[in-house]
Amino acid sequence: MNAARRPCCPHCERPLPACLCSWVSPTDNETPVLILQHPQEVKQAKGSARLLHMSLRHCRTLVGETFDAKALQALLAPAHITRQAVLLYPASAQMPAPTTVPAPGSASPTLLVVLDGTWRKSLKMLHLNPILQTLPRLAIDPESPSRYAIRKARRADQLSTLEATCLALGQLEQAPARYNALRTAFDQFVTAVAARRQSALSAFLSTEP
């Protein structure tokens, strides 16, 4: 017989002990965001995409590894809009950038596309969805290391989905301070998750013979 499911918050859909709602920081982003989330990230308690989605006023999340090309094209390039969407992703030897991103101060892109997954998963999503490879890239250069201490990064300059998106939006909109409150809320979320993990470990160790 299966154990009963833990009760979940009706708003963030997380188990009540891991509820995100107290860290939601409503933010009026000018550039809409489309998060393409790998399925394995949906139930990831340490993930930042759900908090980002709940905080940004203009944000949509699609879950999948491979997306319908026609449906995705309609989202990336609406017929009545001439500006192009951009992909938040660095150029690399495995997947070079096709074009450059408009300079700060020029017209903002119609959409900022964000891949939510580990480095390997996001690279696979990029390979599996050729339309994403046609988008201009936006690569950010963080001034300080990630404060996402609850997940291990491959490199010191890699950021969480929330951190990277806030920096990208601040750059595109020339308004980095607009996202300070959300980044502070994220720091508090990371601290709380770390404390909860430490508490659970201490409780486990205390029960060992």
Side-chain angles (χ1 to χ4, degrees), residues 7-204:
C8 292
C9 170
H11 302 292
C12 69
E13 301 176 353
R14 294 286 183 87
L16 291 179
C19 176
L20 295 173
C21 295
S22 60
W23 295 290
V24 171
S25 179
T27 306
D28 191 10
N29 53 310
E30 292 180 1
T31 305
V33 172
L34 173 64
I35 301 173
L36 301 180
Q37 185 176 50
H38 191 279
Q40 292 182 12
E41 290 295 314
V42 175
K43 299 298 183 181
Q44 176 57 257
K46 297 176 289 186
S48 65
R50 182 60 179 167
L51 179 58
L52 178 67
H53 174 93
M54 294 180 68
S55 296
L56 295 181
R57 181 178 179 183
H58 306 290
C59 185
R60 180 173 182 175
T61 299
L62 298 180
V63 177
E65 190 173 60
T66 305
F67 300 90
D68 179 80
K70 290 184 178 179
L72 190 55
Q73 175 65 37
L75 290 174
L76 299 178
H80 64 288
I81 295 179
T82 58
R83 288 173 294 152
Q84 192 171 17
V86 296
L87 177 66
L88 178 57
Y89 202 89
S92 65
Q94 299 95 334
M95 194 65 65
T99 60
T100 57
V101 174
S106 61
S108 295
T110 183
L111 187 70
L112 176 65
V113 183
V114 179
L115 302 182
D116 180 52
T118 63
W119 178 259
R120 180 173 296 181
K121 292 171 186 173
S122 63
L123 182 60
K124 185 177 181 181
M125 291 168 71
L126 197 52
H127 278 286
L128 291 175
N129 298 276
I131 188 175
L132 296 177
Q133 301 171 29
T134 68
L135 297 179
R137 302 281 177 81
L138 174 61
I140 56 175
D141 184 17
E143 296 179 354
S144 57
S146 172
R147 291 176 285 191
Y148 197 27
I150 54 177
R151 292 190 80 168
K152 185 177 180 179
R154 292 177 67 250
R155 301 195 313 263
D157 61 343
Q158 287 183 336
L159 304 177
S160 67
T161 296
L162 185 146
E163 291 173 305
T165 303
C166 287
L167 285 177
L169 289 171
Q171 176 180 321
L172 290 170
E173 299 168 1
Q174 292 191 297
R178 179 176 295 151
Y179 299 93
N180 285 349
L182 178 51
R183 294 174 68 186
T184 297
F186 175 69
D187 289 344
Q188 295 169 351
F189 159 74
V190 170
T191 299
V193 171
R196 189 165 64 244
R197 291 172 63 185
Q198 183 60 46
S199 177
L201 176 61
S202 298
F204 171 77

